[in-house]
Amino acid sequence: TRYMLLMFSNGNDVLKARELIFERRGALSSSFEETNLPIGFYTAKSGNTPTQNLVDAFEMIDGTPFDWSNPEHAANPYLNRDPRLAKIIVYNGAKIINETVETFKGGKNATPIVGASLSGYYLRKYIDARVSLDPVNPVQRPHHFVLFRYAEVFLNYAEALNEYKGPDYTDDIFTISARDALNRIRTYVRMPLITDAISKDSFRERVKNERRVELAFEDHRFWDIRRWKIGEVVNNIYGISIEKNNAVFTYEKKLIQRRVWDNKMYLYPIPKSELFINSNLSQNPGWE
């Protein structure tokens, strides 16, 4: 469990060799911060802006799901949440590089400013707080991006063993259960253990959600959606609308984009040039 080190940058060196199995290293740069910091920072371009869909996937600190129909949750959707939320996503009122971000209507980092996040969120993961975009005193830092880390080993193991024998199976080869593997991650991030009686199907959903939040922005979600064949989850993309009245904020989940999904998209089309070369090939379903 001591190796379960999360890949966040908070002003300290966070890349640990024991956690990283495979990574892509970069030279001194501030281009990632320039691309992804909120509009309102020097030369920042907003870049990757997380969705409300992802934010809603982070549990409450007691391990229960976040629920917009719960008045306490809706009154302050960032209070008492999974600690990883604040490490991965910049939301209204959060501080990054010594500035408090304002994504409420009329805020300094919000619409209608051109280039502001439509979802109301910005990316924190991988942002190095020591970088400065100040043209008078610029600071660059080396950046390292995860390709494979130890947490994924536990997530892969939990998913595979659950599909094989269920959440609590062990033997001489599988010496820890799927549940134990998942709980090792949750222990490290200070989230409650999964202790309730749970079926293979229910545990599968817990694994899916844990992968979504733990591996966010590490290039997994695109492929997980396809291998799980849940492409319809991308149809409706949500953001947050925040009103400020004196010092009181009100939050409303809002639909910001409708996307098109067709099941043929689980596979790419085979290029015509390849079909011409090999007459034994046939086009993937739906792309004829």
Side-chain angles (χ1 to χ4, degrees):
T1 301
R2 71 183 188 277
Y3 300 139
M4 202 63 57
L5 303 172
L6 299 177
M7 308 313 303
F8 306 129
S9 181
N10 59 4
N12 301 310
D13 290 324
V14 295
L15 296 171
K16 308 295 184 181
R18 293 177 300 182
E19 157 70 1
L20 279 173
I21 297 172
F22 193 33
E23 67 180 277
R24 177 169 61 85
R25 295 187 174 186
L28 287 171
S29 172
S30 59
S31 60
F32 187 84
E33 285 70 26
E34 185 172 9
T35 299
N36 290 289
L37 280 171
I39 287 292
F41 286 73
Y42 285 114
T43 68
K45 301 180 177 68
S46 293
N48 290 286
T49 54
T51 64
Q52 189 66 51
N53 307 56
L54 173 59
V55 173
D56 288 350
F58 289 84
E59 298 171 359
M60 303 301 294
I61 193 65
D62 63 2
T64 59
F66 175 80
D67 183 3
W68 278 103
S69 65
N70 184 320
E72 292 185 4
H73 295 186
N76 187 344
Y78 315 124
L79 183 66
N80 297 324
R81 299 292 294 275
D82 182 330
R84 288 173 289 190
L85 175 61
K87 300 287 188 178
I88 295 173
I89 292 169
V90 177
Y91 47 78
N92 184 60
K95 292 191 70 172
I96 187 167
I97 311 188
N98 300 318
E99 288 195 33
T100 300
V101 173
E102 300 176 352
T103 59
F104 57 85
K105 290 181 181 179
K108 64 182 181 181
N109 311 107
T111 56
I113 298 172
V114 175
S117 170
L118 297 179
S119 69
Y121 298 104
Y122 294 98
L123 181 67
R124 184 185 296 274
K125 195 169 188 176
Y126 287 124
I127 295 289
D128 194 318
R130 295 163 293 184
V131 165
S132 173
L133 303 180
D134 186 339
V136 177
N137 186 29
V139 177
Q140 297 183 327
R141 294 290 302 171
H143 290 69
H144 309 282
F145 299 96
V146 178
L147 298 177
F148 187 36
R149 62 184 175 94
Y150 196 44
E152 187 189 343
V153 173
F154 282 97
L155 288 164
N156 292 349
Y157 178 92
E159 183 177 356
L161 185 54
N162 181 61
E163 295 301 325
Y164 176 49
K165 289 287 188 177
D168 295 305
Y169 177 80
T170 61
D171 61 19
D172 292 341
I173 297 175
F174 302 105
T175 55
I176 68 170
S177 69
R179 183 196 299 264
D180 288 339
L182 201 63
N183 279 339
R184 292 196 182 195
I185 296 174
R186 294 178 67 85
T187 295
Y188 187 81
V189 299
R190 298 182 176 87
M191 285 296 289
L193 302 183
I194 299 171
T195 58
D196 53 310
I198 194 168
S199 67
K200 177 188 287 190
D201 290 343
S202 296
F203 188 79
R204 181 186 301 121
E205 297 308 309
R206 297 299 297 264
V207 172
K208 287 180 179 180
N209 200 70
E210 200 72 27
R211 284 185 68 89
R212 185 176 190 181
V213 300
E214 174 67 19
L215 302 178
F217 300 100
E218 293 182 30
D219 195 28
H220 288 276
R221 184 65 176 170
F222 177 91
W223 306 106
D224 285 346
I225 285 173
R226 281 154 179 78
R227 69 188 181 86
W228 291 331
K229 288 186 166 50
I230 56 170
E232 66 280 355
V233 301
V234 306
N235 284 342
N236 295 324
I237 304 301
Y238 291 91
I240 192 79
S241 177
I242 307 172
E243 298 276 359
K244 182 180 181 181
N245 185 6
N246 296 321
V248 178
F249 295 103
T250 56
Y251 304 86
E252 182 183 0
K253 183 176 180 177
K254 66 173 183 177
L255 182 69
I256 59 173
Q257 190 178 86
R258 292 191 187 275
R259 296 179 179 177
V260 175
W261 176 262
D262 190 301
N263 285 345
K264 71 179 183 180
M265 296 176 185
Y266 288 124
L267 299 173
Y268 287 113
I270 299 172
K272 284 284 188 181
S273 58
E274 298 300 321
L275 294 173
F276 291 149
I277 292 171
N278 187 348
S279 60
N280 292 317
L281 286 176
S282 58
Q283 186 54 274
N284 282 329
W287 296 103
E288 293 86 353

